[in-house]
Amino acid sequence: MNKTDVLIIGAGPTGLFCAHQLGIIGLNCEIVDNLDKAGGQCIELYPDKPIYDIPAVPECTGEELTNNLLKQIKPFNIKFHLNERVEELKKNQNRWHVKTSGGVEFDVAAIVIAGGVGSFEPRKFPVKECEKFEGNSLFYSIKDKSIFKDKTISIFGGGDSALDWAIELSNASKVNLIHRRDGFSGAEASVQKVKELNEQGKLNLYTKYQMDTVLGDKNIKTVKIKHDEGEIKEIKSDYVLGFFWFNYATWSYFRLGIKY
Ligand SMILES: Cc1cc2nc3c(=O)[nH]c(=O)nc-3n(C[C@H](O)[C@H](O)[C@H](O)COP(=O)(O)OP(=O)(O)OC[C@H]3O[C@@H](n4cnc5c(N)ncnc54)[C@H](O)[C@@H]3O)c2cc1C
């Protein structure tokens, strides 16, 4: 039985910084996460993507943010329980009894639920042919951006991830950004930057187009995109990236997989 002051459920940025704040006020804590590493969405879904909205940090990647948060809590020697999913919380007089999927048990005075989106999975292209290329030339998140250097990439989506990656990859790759609408849901500054790059010929922007099909043998060779009015274009592509959003359940203990 692990006994401590506070148990933090979730080693994403919220859980990591919370551990720092607890350390500052002199409380001991341990952190449990069902992933095999700390960092939450930042490390699992976009380790290589640039982040621009952290106060006093003009730019960093998901991995750099995680590493810095870990560095910041190093003085507190916090114990991590990774690959463990919290499944049960029970009140035990003035304390809590917590149990994980792997049978690890905790007796703690307080719990911080920093479970973020809980379990998440990317929303995928509805086109059947995409499945064949998933993981080799079609991706829903980027783990290593160096594979795209000098390649042609078709990015689908109109949110922050699609825009941020289109801007970032246009430095060393030929980028097509394809979005089903004229308007974007991402930050206005990024929308303006994408439009600027399009006007300068550094990126090709296709709005009101959607994926029609993807063609190739082992790897993708071209992508067919279809305009709202029916026109079809076939564009060369070494890689296809889809950044739509994630399928999340609504917030509940159930989403976190916890019996309460
Ligand atoms: C593709 C993408 C790009 C993004 N880009 C940006 C950006 O540029 N700027 C920005 O500010 N934000 C961005 N975000 C959002 C940002 O990543 C999240 O707001 C942030 O990760 C939330 O942190 P968190 O610690 O609250 O939750 P999370 O990062 O979701 O971490 C929660 C952790 O809890 C764990 N967990 C959940 N349930 C349990 C359980 N029962 N037992 C054990 N562990 C559990 C999960 O495994 C996870 O590791 C982006 C998100 C995505 C998906």
Side-chain angles (χ1 to χ4, degrees), residues 9-15 32-35 39-42 45-46 49-54 84-86 114-120 161 164 246 248 256-258:
I9 304 173
T14 307
V32 59
D33 201 298
N34 59 289
L35 296 176
Q41 294 172 58
C42 305
L45 301 177
Y46 58 99
K49 186 184 87 68
I51 303 174
Y52 301 109
D53 52 3
I54 308 293
E84 293 290 345
R85 182 186 171 90
V86 171
V117 293
S119 51
F120 40 85
S161 289
D164 288 353
F246 289 84
Y248 307 119
L256 294 167
I258 295 174

Side-chain angles (χ1 to χ4, degrees), residues 120-243:
F120 40 85
E121 58 173 47
R123 200 166 286 171
K124 300 191 173 181
F125 288 104
V127 175
K128 180 99 187 80
E129 290 80 3
C130 289
E131 283 171 23
K132 180 173 144 196
F133 300 106
E134 208 178 306
N136 72 12
S137 46
L138 184 147
F139 302 97
Y140 296 101
S141 67
I142 296 178
K143 304 246 152 124
D144 173 14
K145 70 177 177 190
S146 67
I147 63 170
F148 302 117
K149 189 165 184 287
D150 300 326
K151 303 285 184 195
T152 303
I153 303 140
S154 293
I155 300 177
F156 289 78
D160 282 319
S161 289
L163 295 168
D164 288 353
W165 274 121
I167 296 166
E168 172 71 13
L169 295 177
S170 68
N171 289 318
S173 317
K174 191 170 182 310
V175 172
N176 304 307
L177 177 62
I178 301 123
H179 183 39
R180 68 192 161 92
R181 293 190 291 115
D182 257 345
F184 293 84
S185 57
E188 192 48 35
S190 310
V191 176
Q192 290 312 320
K193 179 78 187 164
V194 158
K195 288 185 176 166
E196 221 174 83
L197 290 170
N198 182 46
E199 276 159 25
Q200 293 165 354
K202 294 182 181 161
L203 173 157
N204 298 314
L205 179 61
Y206 299 93
T207 54
K208 296 194 174 179
Y209 280 90
Q210 297 194 45
M211 158 89 76
D212 182 57
T213 194
V214 64
L215 303 164
D217 300 320
K218 196 163 164 278
N219 294 311
I220 290 171
K221 289 202 171 118
T222 60
V223 178
K224 281 190 179 172
I225 55 172
K226 190 173 180 184
H227 192 267
D228 279 1
E229 285 169 12
E231 179 219 358
I232 291 188
K233 275 188 198 300
E234 185 166 348
I235 47 179
K236 180 189 175 299
S237 259
D238 300 305
Y239 290 100
V240 167
L241 300 170
F243 296 114

